[in-house]
Amino acid sequence: MDLQDLQTRLNLFLDHAATTFQKVPGSAVLIRYVRSSYQNDPVRSAIELVLVIFFIRYLLSPSYSTSKVNYVKLTEDEIDELVEEWTPEPLVAPLTPLEETSLEKLPILVGPSGPKSKLSTGKTVTNLASYNFYNLNANEQIKEKAIATLRTYGVGPCGPPQFYGTQDVHMKAEADIATYLGTEKCIVYAQAFSAISSVIPAFCKRGDVIVADRAVNYSIRRGLEISRSNIKWYNHNDFEDLEQVMKAVAAEQKKKGKLTRRFIVTEGLFETCGDMNNLPRLVELKEKYKFRIILDETWSFGVLGRTGRGLTEHQNVDPTQIDMIVGSLAGPLCAGGGFCAGDADVVEHQRIAAAAYTFSAALPAMLAMTASESLNVLQSNPEILAGCRENIRLLRGQLAEGRSEWVVATSAAENPVQLLVLREEVCRARRLGLEDQERLLQECVDEALANGVLITRFKGMSISTHNSLKDGNWTVQPALKVCVTSGLSKKDIEKAGVTIRHAITKVMTKKGNNKLGLPAA
């Protein structure tokens, strides 16, 4: 057969195939589509042909059985041997000797926590280890409202806020907080810790820039890590360094011709060292370099300001200039949960995007009502805050320089949580490392308790560099934590201050604690 005969037969076959295909319903539409497609875009036609061939091949390919065993089958004895040899990794790090000793001596309260608390040993002590700053848990007005709410709504909502967990008391609490702070709206979270760690990733995403203070607390750091944003750090409360970082970020983005969202994340009163932020200066830099501010007022809400509205009231800053104010309803308000206040758009976005709000049961109704009633008490009785501040002044006076040669308070003068650290010259003279300081401070706690005053050590989680938080190291200095309350008289506070000072002196001058035999002072 020559080439001409082969070509003739091929043409006849194609004509016959075309005639047969045209008899198929819908074939005319397909032919018209292929012709127009080829004329308009032949490359697309070729790609579609490849996909069709792949699809036909996939349909005709043999199926694979998942029931076939493709791993080594072990005998029962071998399985038992492997199980016996396997040692699971511990969920938490083993306790240090200091932690074991502290747990053994941990005081146990019997009954409610108040300014005077009874221990399981039967001893009554002055309680300066509680966040009950205004003794609101003994307020009969709040108690009656809490009990009535408990009887009406039950213990918990048993559902997420966006479904059937939101009740009228939650909406009232949100409205009360927003009115109290002077913001447009507010959203309430079920846990204080997860509020800030959920707010940050709700707004900050990959590619955004966050500038954060190195001393921010652990919950903020969790939020920074989850956000996967580009984290820049500035030295603690160093606004010259902050401006340099902000200027560098702005210049870099201008050079690239790409604008991204930029945030400053910081605290009102810092948990790790107790000092206060400079909010007017922060707002000035925010406006100058076009950043947004996320301010964590967990330790300043209900504490600072004439009526306890926080750092904005204390430093006379318009709260609308702060994009997001995050705080806690626990502590001074004797309730529970957290909140975020700001513009309506900021709040409503969190109802969908904030993980701790969407994937958590709502705050128990009793705690929401307690928060609302506590705010009402603080607004109608500002003398409560004044009494607490007077007690802070008296306590600091007993531990001030000239009276105590061993410790210094790093907390702000208005902070009811007073952190007392060993003086730098004492640590240097005695060559005290962090573990040595923690041991000595724990002995001070034990000595104070033996003399009827309950205080504690600052036990914040260790902050170290994480892969996603590069250059974010901050050494948390060991400290005594003394929580002042207005529930004690001036005489009781002064007496407690003297007891703490004498306990510190006794421990520091005790034989064996004078490391390397250096002079006592």
Side-chain angles (χ1 to χ4, degrees), residues 178-184 279 283 286 293 295 297 309 311-313 316-325 341-343:
T179 303
Y180 183 67
L181 284 173
T183 59
E184 192 172 351
L279 199 54
V283 171
K286 166 214 169 182
I293 296 178
L295 179 65
E297 290 224 58
R309 285 177 168 85
L311 191 62
T312 53
E313 183 184 36
N316 197 27
V317 174
D318 187 349
T320 59
Q321 293 183 288
I322 310 302
D323 300 274
M324 282 157 270
I325 299 176
D343 294 339

Side-chain angles (χ1 to χ4, degrees), residues 126-160:
T126 300
N127 188 355
L128 296 181
S130 166
Y131 297 142
N132 185 23
F133 305 141
Y134 311 122
N135 198 26
L136 292 182
N137 64 353
N139 186 288
E140 293 300 325
Q141 176 184 341
I142 297 176
K143 279 184 180 181
E144 291 174 4
K145 287 288 184 73
I147 292 171
T149 304
L150 182 63
R151 288 173 175 166
T152 303
Y153 295 90
V155 176
C158 302

Side-chain angles (χ1 to χ4, degrees), residues 42-58:
V43 176
R44 189 182 71 175
S45 299
I47 295 174
E48 290 176 347
L49 178 62
V50 172
L51 293 176
V52 169
I53 295 173
F54 173 78
F55 179 68
I56 295 173
R57 183 181 179 280
Y58 178 77

Side-chain angles (χ1 to χ4, degrees), residues 200 203-212 224 227-233 242 245-254 256 258-265 289-294:
I200 293 173
F203 293 94
C204 309
K205 307 297 180 183
R206 188 187 297 274
D208 295 339
V209 177
I210 300 176
V211 179
L224 297 177
S227 72
R228 299 180 296 177
S229 300
N230 185 14
I231 313 298
K232 306 287 185 181
W233 300 95
L242 171 60
V245 174
M246 296 172 71
K247 186 184 295 184
V249 169
E252 181 181 359
Q253 292 189 351
K254 184 178 181 180
K256 293 181 178 179
K258 179 182 177 182
L259 292 177
T260 60
R261 291 174 295 189
R262 300 178 286 195
F263 299 86
I264 304 172
V265 178
Y289 295 101
K290 309 304 179 186
F291 276 66
R292 296 180 175 93
I293 296 178
I294 301 178

